[in-house]
Amino acid sequence: MIGKWSAHAYGRRSAAGTRRPLDRPVRNEAAPVTYGLIVACCLVFLIGPAAGLNPVYGAGDELLAAQRAYFRRWGVVPVELFAGTPRAVLTPLTALFVHGSWLHLLGNMLFLFVFGAMAEERMGHVEFALFYVGCGYLALVAYAVAHAGSEQSLVGASGAISAVLGAFLFLFPAARVTSLFPFLFFLPLRFPAWVTLPFWVTLQWLAARRETSGPGVAYLAHLVGFGLGFVYAWGRYGRRTRVTANAPAPAPEGEHQP
């Protein structure tokens, strides 16, 4: 998790050589968009066939068929996206709220919970909502363009959440996060965001080089989302943001699903 981090925009130096903060601290507990997105994704998952809890979808082969039809209806199918139908054009939006498994859902929601609240408080609620949806939409479209002939359904909020990570890296580079690295026997190690998040991006890039259009993790969507988020924050906020830490606490690193 993230602790009590404060970010300030600094103006000109005073006569004493110090910079005066121009805005209030960024972190508080009010993040209605972040928490609303988490609730919406969880509800959509629980009532859909992927959770396996709704008896309407049956069991066994019947449930598997329902899942495939559900993902194809609400997810992004690259080969159908550019057909120009209104339903297909909306799928990069609806896919942001659909997840393929419990691990997929919980991994994405954990990252949104950890990094989303601070980004939302810094950007403002309306701007953050538009940023999240816009970057998530573009990340899924970019994946579809790169795999235009694929008939596989793409679902999940990872493109949008990766954009949040990219914006977080620019806005809060000094925020210290605790990460678990498999090659270090999952020891919890604390590093600044400017170390942890670029390391995560590197892993996504290495995995994307081996990516195919078949089932699996959409690493390209992660990379595009992260890049969009970082560039947006850089263009919107420039070099004004500085971060100071009051009480750091752990946050996870990495993602599990597309």
Side-chain angles (χ1 to χ4, degrees):
M1 302 299 217
I2 301 295
K4 297 179 180 178
W5 298 97
S6 299
H8 301 275
Y10 286 88
R12 296 180 179 179
R13 292 183 180 274
S14 66
T18 60
R19 289 183 176 179
R20 297 170 181 167
L22 300 179
D23 60 353
R24 71 191 195 288
V26 168
R27 177 66 165 169
N28 66 27
E29 300 303 321
V33 175
T34 296
Y35 302 144
L37 288 169
I38 292 173
V39 170
C41 288
C42 290
L43 288 177
V44 169
F45 180 78
L46 290 174
I47 65 177
L53 301 177
N54 193 335
V56 172
Y57 296 105
D61 292 339
E62 184 181 4
L63 177 60
L64 292 176
Q67 291 174 350
R68 287 192 293 267
Y70 184 81
F71 296 147
R72 192 170 190 89
R73 176 179 177 82
W74 301 110
V76 178
V77 181
V79 75
E80 297 178 359
L81 179 61
F82 305 106
T85 64
R87 188 197 67 80
V89 172
L90 286 176
T91 54
L93 174 61
T94 59
L96 295 177
F97 298 90
V98 179
H99 291 82
S101 67
W102 284 94
L103 183 62
H104 187 194
L105 173 74
L106 295 176
N108 276 348
M109 294 305 100
L110 176 61
F111 273 82
L112 180 56
F113 175 77
V114 169
F115 294 100
M118 288 181 67
E120 178 182 347
E121 175 61 16
R122 180 65 181 89
M123 294 181 180
H125 307 314
V126 174
E127 181 180 347
F128 178 78
L130 295 175
F131 162 81
Y132 180 92
V133 171
C135 289
Y137 188 101
L138 292 175
L140 293 178
V141 170
Y143 179 90
V145 170
H147 301 88
S150 173
E151 297 184 357
Q152 295 292 332
S153 302
L154 180 66
V155 297
S158 291
I161 295 172
S162 296
V164 174
L165 298 184
F168 188 96
L169 175 61
F170 182 84
L171 295 172
F172 308 103
R176 300 181 69 84
V177 296
T178 297
S179 307
L180 300 177
F181 295 95
F183 54 84
L184 293 178
F185 304 101
F186 294 96
L187 294 176
L189 301 175
R190 183 173 295 166
F191 295 101
W194 65 266
V195 172
T196 302
L197 293 179
F199 177 78
W200 176 82
V201 171
T202 301
L203 293 180
Q204 305 305 298
W205 178 75
L206 291 175
R209 296 181 63 185
R210 303 189 299 271
E211 189 175 47
T212 67
S213 60
V217 180
Y219 294 107
L220 178 60
H222 296 183
L223 292 172
V224 172
F226 189 92
L228 288 172
F230 186 89
V231 170
Y232 176 87
W234 175 77
R236 176 73 171 82
Y237 299 100
R239 294 181 175 273
R240 296 175 300 162
T241 301
R242 297 293 183 271
V243 178
T244 57
N246 297 326
E253 192 279 325
E255 283 201 44
H256 301 290
Q257 281 273 26

